């Protein structure tokens, strides 16, 4: 054994190499504050290893990228963990980068003779950010797709050769196969290659100059092995623990038991024809995103190119500015200000989305995005994915089409309720909210004097002081509470909602009582037709109220004598509207299904 | 150019030292090795299950496939190649009615009896062709040769480990049905692939 080692050492000089590597002197001894660089190397190592494993299963093309990522996440054993680790380690890397830069600048480690190494570090930082940006697109989901459009359009703002640069990166005038192949080549080939190259130089330079320590050293000198190695290893362990926690946090915090729902998100497949209002960059680019809101269109390039370029230039100039004592203070102030500014902008971006005036819309967009993402996955699981890709499944799916059609055609007046049991914000000039339409809760609200003329019901329509509102605010007040409840149950039972089938069966007696009340020509049937009662009703027919047939006919023509007749407010007759505004009978059927939350389950 | 930071020659701390520091140092070294080793193994561990995922995939067994109407198969005792078409799943992609392989159907003269032979060579899995001039099946890869009934011709080539794989074949209502499946190659026995 020893002879073999001697032979190996003679041929390679491995003993000297190892001893140089391990017994590097650390003046003042090992310290925790020196771990940042090592944790970054560690995270890069994790990314390379997990990235290669992902590579074995990923397929970069517009018809297979989302599909292969779906397969990794949902069909491959342990795929969720692998993908989750890669996703969150990427984020950890950005955070560690910030710590590393702060430590280097605060300790003055960028000053002579380490200027070149500092510059190498700045180059490495940009490569890491480039890796984040390119990786974000690869799943080819709505999120990555729209974020990348923004990022590459910004690239187009670069003076002189911006447009050409954009075309080269995107792989042509449009986003597609070649965008993915190019981004993948950048992400898995060019950028990691460059990173390794600069990392080797960076570590070499670091070894050449040694660690930057405080003078005079308070403690005895130490060596890299084992004291610093142990600290580095513990720090890496901590990073690993944080990453693992982030991957499984849904299981820990909200008891998620389906492992494939842990780790990194996968949105709906990218679709250039479908708006994605929930589009946001990865959180560590949010500050840039927020920053760009400050610039009017024609000055965009200033915010996107010139100012970030200037800041980068200031960072590159740090070693020169830092030659003077006050220069060093300036540098420390600059990085602190940058970190604080980025932090502030990130908070502002978060605030705008979650608390600001437009936050309700963003919230809705996020809910819609999640719904479409979940539906895509349901469909892929139930049907398998056709060769033309998952997008075709989604586009052919009645549920998704209905939601999109409702958004395009109905939501302008009725608004989009976030959920069947949540009406959300009413529209200022809107028609009744339709979340949970014809359910007991919805009808109870209609028969409530507090809400009937409120913004969720007739408040913003011509019916706000109509006969119905007057009735609810007048005669109905004389009714007994249980009578009103019976009517609510009976009317809601007309809709035959699947979600209410059990309750309808259980309350058969009360429904019967309610039906008798509705039939009473002194009560509801005075104005409304209901089955064989109220033959000459002037208000909408309540027979089968909210059922498929009723809704289909109502949407087809609300001004039909059976419904509002001449009293119809502004709602168009969608079946007979002029071409372009009309809805096909299939589209109406889909919207009816959507309103009744009677979504077609995958077969 | 002079080195700005000449490295001090550092001795590995193996000189005469008190027992306690030495014990402490051993503990530090042990911990550094264990924790350092653990974190380095971590990304490989994360990739382990997906990497070995193909091992738990199976072919899903044989497929009962309608190949052709019997009338379309001449009763000349000669092999006629037919494409096997079936639904196929390739990882995430579901391919309906996809050509997935080829069989030779041989209908005995004047009968309704049909034999099916897999076109996959039992040697190493190339596709066997039919040499009409010599009335032989021949594999283009390693010279395997078989008679019309699939029996290997060891006098021509010694490589095939067994005769051609015959497939279960039935005629139902004038249609030829084959239980199509693949077998392991290179073995003397016919063993279906899992």
């Amino acid at each position: 054994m020893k002879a073999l080692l001697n032979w190996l050492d003679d041929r390679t000089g491995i003993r000297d190499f190892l001893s140089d590597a391990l017994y590097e002197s650390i003046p003042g001894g090992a310290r925790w504050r020196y771990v940042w660089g090592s944790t970054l190397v560690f995270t890069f190592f994790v990314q390379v290893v997990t990235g290669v494993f992902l590579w074995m299963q990923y397929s970069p093309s517009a018809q297979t990228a989302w599909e292969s990522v779906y397969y990794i996440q949902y069909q491959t054993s342990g795929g969720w963990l692998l993908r989750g680790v890669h996703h969150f380690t990427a984020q950890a890397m950005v955070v560690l980068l910030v710590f590393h830069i702060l430590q280097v600048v605060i300790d003055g480690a960028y000053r002579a003779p380490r200027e070149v190494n500092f510059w190498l570090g700045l180059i490495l930082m940009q490569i890491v950010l480039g890796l984040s940006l390119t990786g974000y697109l690869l799943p080819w989901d709505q999120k990555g797709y729209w974020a990348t459009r923004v990022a590459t359009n910004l690239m187009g703002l670069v003076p002189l050769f911006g447009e050409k640069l954009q075309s080269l990166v995107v792989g042509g005038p449009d986003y597609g196969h070649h965008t993915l192949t190019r981004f993948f080549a950048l992400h898995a080939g060019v950028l990691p290659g460059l990173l390794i190259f600069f990392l080797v130089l960076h570590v070499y330079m670091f070894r050449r100059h040694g660690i930057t320590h405080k003078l005079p050293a308070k403690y005895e000198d130490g060596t890299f092995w084992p004291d610093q190695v142990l600290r580095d290893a513990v720090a890496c362990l901590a990073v690993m623990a944080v990453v693992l926690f982030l991957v499984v946090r849904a299981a820990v915090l909200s008891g998620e038991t389906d492992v494939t729902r842990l780790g990194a998100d996968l949105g709906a497949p990218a679709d250039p024809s479908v708006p994605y209002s929930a589009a946001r960059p990865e959180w560590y680019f949010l500050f840039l995103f927020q920053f760009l809101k400050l610039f009017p269109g024609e000055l965009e390039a200033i915010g996107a190119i010139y100012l970030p370029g200037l800041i980068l230039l200031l960072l590159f100039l740090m070693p020169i500015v830092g030659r003077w004592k006050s220069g060093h203070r300036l540098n420390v102030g600059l990085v602190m200000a940058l970190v604080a500014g980025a932090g502030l902008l990130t908070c502002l971006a978060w605030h705008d989305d979650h608390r600001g005036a437009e936050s309700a819309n963003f919230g809705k967009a996020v809910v819609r995005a999640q719904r479409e993402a979940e539906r895509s996955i349901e469909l892929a699981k139930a049907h398998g994915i056709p060769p033309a890709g998952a997008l075709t499944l989604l586009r052919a799916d009645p549920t998704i089409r209905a939601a999109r059609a409702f958004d395009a055609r109905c939501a302008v007046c009725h608004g989009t309720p976030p959920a069947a049991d949540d009406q959300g914000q009413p529209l200022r000039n809107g028609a009744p909210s339709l979340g949970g339409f014809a359910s007991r809760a919805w009808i109870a609200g209609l028969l409530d004097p507090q809400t009937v003329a409120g913004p969720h019901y007739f408040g913003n329509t011509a019916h706000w002081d109509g006969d119905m509102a007057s009735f609810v605010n007048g005669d109905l007040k004389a009714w007994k509470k249980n009578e009103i409840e019976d009517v609510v149950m009976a009317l809601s039972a007309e809709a035959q909602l699947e979600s209410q089938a059990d309750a309808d069966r259980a309350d058969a007696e009360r429904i019967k009582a309610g039906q008798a009340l509705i039939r009473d020509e002194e009560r509801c049937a005075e104005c409304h037709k209901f089955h064989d009662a109220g033959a000459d009703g002037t208000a909408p027919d309540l027979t089968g109220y909210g059922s498929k047939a009723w809704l289909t006919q109502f949407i087809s023509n609300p001004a039909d004598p059976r419904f509002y007749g001449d009293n119809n407010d502004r709602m168009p007759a969608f079946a007979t509207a002029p071409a372009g505004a009309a809805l096909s009978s299939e589209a109406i059927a889909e919207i009816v299904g959507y309103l009744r939350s009677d979504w077609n389950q995958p077969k | 150019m002079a080195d700005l930071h000449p490295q001090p020659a550092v001795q590995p701390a193996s000189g005469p030292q008190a027992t306690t520091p030495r014990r402490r140092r051993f503990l530090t070294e042990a911990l550094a090795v264990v924790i350092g080793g653990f974190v380095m193994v971590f990304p490989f561990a994360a990739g382990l299950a997906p990497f070995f995922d193909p091992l738990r995939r199976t072919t899903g067994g044989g497929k009962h496939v309608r190949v052709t109407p019997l009338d379309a198969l001449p009763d000349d005792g000669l092999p006629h190649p037919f494409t096997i078409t079936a639904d196929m799943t390739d990882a995430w992609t579901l391919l309906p009615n996809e050509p997935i392989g080829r069989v030779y159907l041989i209908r005995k003269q004047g009968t309704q009896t049909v034999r099916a032979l897999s076109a996959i060579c039992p040697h190493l899995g190339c596709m066997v062709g039919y040499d009409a001039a010599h009335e032989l099946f021949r594999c283009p890869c390693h010279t395997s040769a078989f008679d019309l009934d699939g029996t290997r011709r060891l006098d021509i080539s010694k490589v095939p480990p067994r005769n051609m794989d015959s497939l279960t074949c039935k005629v139902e209502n004038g249609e030829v049905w084959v239980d199509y499946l693949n077998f392991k190659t290179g073995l003397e026995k016919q063993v279906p692939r899992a």
Side-chain angles (χ1 to χ4, degrees):
Chain A
M1 186 69 194
K2 192 158 187 205
L4 187 68
L5 281 179
N6 283 339
W7 175 84
L8 190 67
D9 185 44
D10 180 58
R11 300 298 192 275
T12 62
I14 191 160
R15 284 202 181 108
D16 278 354
F17 176 78
L18 278 179
S19 131
D20 280 356
L22 290 176
Y23 297 110
E24 187 215 10
S25 163
I26 301 182
R31 302 187 61 178
W32 285 108
R33 61 187 301 140
Y34 301 151
V35 302
W36 301 118
S38 299
T39 56
L40 276 167
V41 175
F42 168 68
T43 48
F44 177 60
F45 171 71
V46 171
Q47 291 307 74
V48 170
V49 175
T50 53
V52 169
F53 279 121
L54 285 168
W55 190 345
M56 293 179 194
Q57 310 171 67
Y58 174 71
S59 172
S61 86
Q63 268 89 54
T64 59
W66 187 91
E67 290 73 7
S68 58
V69 174
Y70 153 80
Y71 197 73
I72 293 171
Q73 179 76 27
Y74 292 94
Q75 305 289 351
T76 306
S77 43
W80 61 273
L81 176 68
L82 177 63
R83 201 174 152 247
V85 167
H86 194 74
H87 177 82
F88 286 108
T89 305
Q91 311 204 349
M93 213 166 171
V94 175
V95 175
L96 293 169
L97 245 168
V98 172
F99 286 141
H100 188 45
I101 292 179
L102 279 177
Q103 177 243 331
V104 163
V105 173
I106 291 170
D107 284 356
Y110 59 88
R111 287 183 290 198
R114 298 182 178 81
E115 302 98 319
V116 176
N117 211 15
F118 181 72
W119 293 331
L120 289 172
L122 289 179
I123 293 171
L124 284 166
M125 174 184 84
Q126 292 180 74
I127 297 174
V128 169
L129 294 180
L131 281 164
S132 305
L133 198 79
T134 47
Y136 203 56
L137 173 76
L138 297 183
W140 201 243
D141 58 359
Q142 283 280 68
K143 189 170 64 163
Y145 177 82
W146 290 98
T148 302
R149 277 180 81 120
V150 171
T152 48
N153 280 329
L154 287 176
M155 198 176 280
L157 296 176
V158 170
L160 301 179
F161 52 87
E163 259 177 65
K164 298 226 161 41
L165 187 68
Q166 184 181 1
S167 262
L168 283 178
V169 171
V170 169
D174 277 316
Y175 299 78
H177 292 321
H178 276 160
T179 317
L180 279 161
T181 50
R182 287 190 171 226
F183 268 60
F184 189 48
L186 283 173
H187 186 76
V190 178
L191 293 174
L194 283 174
L195 197 140
I196 290 169
F197 175 75
F198 283 103
L199 186 62
V200 167
L201 288 183
H202 195 60
V203 172
Y204 165 74
M205 292 272 177
F206 161 69
R207 284 298 170 110
R208 179 179 161 86
H209 301 307
I211 223 150
T212 311
H213 55 92
K214 281 218 168 90
L215 288 170
K218 266 193 265 173
Y219 304 96
E220 237 178 277
D221 290 0
T223 51
F224 182 61
W225 172 261
D227 296 334
Q228 190 61 43
V229 171
L230 179 59
R231 282 173 170 75
D232 288 354
V234 170
C236 294
L237 188 68
V239 171
M240 186 192 105
V242 170
V243 166
L244 276 178
F245 171 76
L246 289 171
V247 173
V248 301
R249 71 192 190 290
V252 178
L253 301 178
S254 48
E256 177 63 59
T257 49
D258 178 2
V259 289
T260 60
R261 296 172 70 100
L262 301 178
D265 281 342
L266 178 63
D271 187 341
S273 71
V274 173
Y276 185 69
S277 319
R280 292 292 177 269
E282 197 61 295
W283 64 266
Y284 42 81
F285 286 127
L286 266 183
F287 74 95
L288 273 176
F289 160 86
Q290 184 72 11
F291 191 57
L292 291 182
K293 291 188 196 164
L294 303 174
F295 294 87
E298 67 274 19
L299 299 180
E300 189 82 52
I302 295 182
I305 311 283
Y306 295 111
L307 278 176
L310 182 70
I311 288 169
L312 212 53
L313 182 69
L314 288 178
L315 291 176
F316 269 92
L317 289 177
M318 274 189 179
I320 293 160
V321 176
R323 285 168 186 242
W324 298 278
K325 195 157 194 185
S326 51
H328 174 59
R329 288 201 196 111
L330 197 70
N331 284 338
V332 174
L334 177 67
V335 284
M336 293 294 200
L338 285 178
V339 171
L344 183 70
L345 284 169
T346 307
C347 290
L348 279 177
W350 189 89
H351 181 270
D352 279 4
D353 283 344
H354 295 91
R355 299 276 182 278
E358 293 302 309
S359 60
N361 287 333
F362 179 72
K364 247 184 240 172
V366 169
V367 169
R368 166 60 49 88
Q370 278 167 351
R371 204 180 283 165
E372 295 201 351
E374 277 175 23
R375 187 68 183 161
S376 323
I377 286 147
E378 270 171 32
L379 290 169
K381 277 184 182 167
H383 300 283
I385 300 171
L391 201 53
T392 51
L393 280 180
L394 205 60
R395 284 184 180 154
D397 179 51
T399 301
I400 294 291
R401 282 159 43 133
R404 288 175 180 170
F406 184 89
D407 260 14
R409 310 304 301 281
C410 315
V412 182
C413 301
H414 289 282
T416 309
D421 53 358
D422 178 5
Q423 303 291 3
Q425 283 284 325
L427 297 183
R428 198 164 52 81
N429 196 17
S433 301
L434 296 177
F437 176 73
S439 67
R440 290 180 180 183
W442 193 91
I443 293 172
L446 183 69
L447 297 182
D448 184 342
Q450 304 284 331
T451 48
V452 62
H456 280 309
Y457 290 92
F458 289 141
N460 295 314
T461 70
H463 306 289
W464 73 276
D465 64 346
D467 292 343
M468 185 68 195
S470 316
F471 165 75
V472 172
N473 277 300
D475 293 359
L476 189 66
K477 286 185 172 163
W479 289 34
K480 290 189 199 109
K481 192 165 164 262
N482 67 320
E483 287 177 332
I484 299 178
E485 283 170 6
D486 289 351
V487 166
V488 166
M489 286 181 197
L491 189 56
S492 184
E494 290 291 303
Q496 296 179 328
L497 295 172
E498 255 177 55
S499 55
Q500 236 173 233
D502 290 338
D504 284 346
R505 260 193 301 277
D507 295 318
E509 287 301 312
R510 298 193 64 181
I511 287 171
K512 222 176 221 174
Q515 284 167 341
L517 290 167
I518 301 175
R519 266 203 186 86
D520 187 343
E521 305 217 345
E522 304 278 294
R523 301 191 190 224
C524 305
E526 189 183 342
C527 304
H528 294 280
K529 184 173 186 299
F530 186 66
H531 297 282
D532 49 355
D536 34 286
T538 51
D541 186 353
L542 298 182
T543 314
Y545 182 79
S547 64
K548 277 183 189 165
W550 190 94
L551 272 168
T552 305
Q553 287 166 22
F554 187 91
I555 295 171
S556 300
N557 183 14
D560 187 277
R562 193 188 152 197
F563 301 111
Y564 280 116
D566 294 341
N567 289 330
N568 182 39
D569 193 354
R570 283 151 288 177
M571 181 156 163
F574 279 102
T576 55
L583 288 167
S584 65
S585 52
E586 292 85 18
I588 292 179
E590 283 165 7
I591 290 175
V592 166
Y594 176 72
L595 280 175
R596 293 165 46 80
S597 298
D598 184 6
W599 291 15
N600 299 13
Q601 292 305 306
K603 283 172 202 96
Chain B
M1 185 183 154
D3 194 341
L4 286 162
H5 286 268
Q7 304 260 331
V10 178
Q11 292 296 322
S14 55
Q17 275 177 338
T19 322
T20 321
R22 199 184 292 163
R23 199 178 290 158
R24 235 192 82 180
R25 186 183 160 83
F26 173 74
L27 190 68
T28 312
E29 283 181 348
L31 277 174
V33 167
V34 170
I35 300 176
F38 181 68
V39 296
M40 286 300 162
V41 167
F42 160 67
F44 292 98
L48 216 57
F51 179 75
F52 286 110
D53 185 77
L55 295 185
R56 70 183 188 98
R57 308 273 164 195
T58 58
T59 58
K63 289 192 168 84
H64 193 56
V65 184
R66 190 179 66 86
V67 184
T68 174
L70 185 63
D71 291 347
L73 179 63
D75 60 342
D76 54 7
L78 293 174
H80 295 273
F82 284 88
T83 300
I84 296 286
T85 307
D87 290 351
M88 190 182 95
T89 307
D90 178 2
W92 57 85
T93 307
L94 183 76
L95 301 147
N97 287 324
E98 181 75 3
I100 56 167
R102 168 180 271 215
V103 291
Y104 287 104
L105 296 184
I106 303 154
R107 183 174 170 189
K108 273 194 191 161
Q109 280 164 335
T111 67
Q112 302 242 329
T113 317
V114 180
R115 266 198 85 182
L117 291 173
S118 168
I120 302 298
C121 179
H123 178 223
L124 286 170
C126 295
M127 191 173 279
V128 175
Y130 178 59
D131 175 357
H134 298 95
E135 296 209 349
L136 280 177
F137 289 109
R138 283 182 189 274
C139 180
C141 295
H142 308 100
T143 68
S144 293
F146 307 89
D147 273 333
L148 286 189
D149 63 354
T151 313
R152 56 188 168 157
R153 285 285 295 270
L154 293 174
D155 56 319
I156 298 177
S157 168
K158 301 239 181 298
V159 299
R162 62 173 185 260
N163 297 335
M164 281 173 83
D165 294 312
S166 61
L167 298 164
T168 309
C169 178
K170 270 184 198 151
V171 180
E172 291 166 13
N173 304 325
E175 310 258 15
V176 181
W177 290 76
V178 168
D179 285 342
Y180 185 77
L181 72 167
N182 285 310
F183 300 93
K184 292 184 181 170
T185 55
L187 304 178
E188 267 179 62
K189 279 193 173 165
Q190 197 189 46
V191 181
R193 295 182 77 116

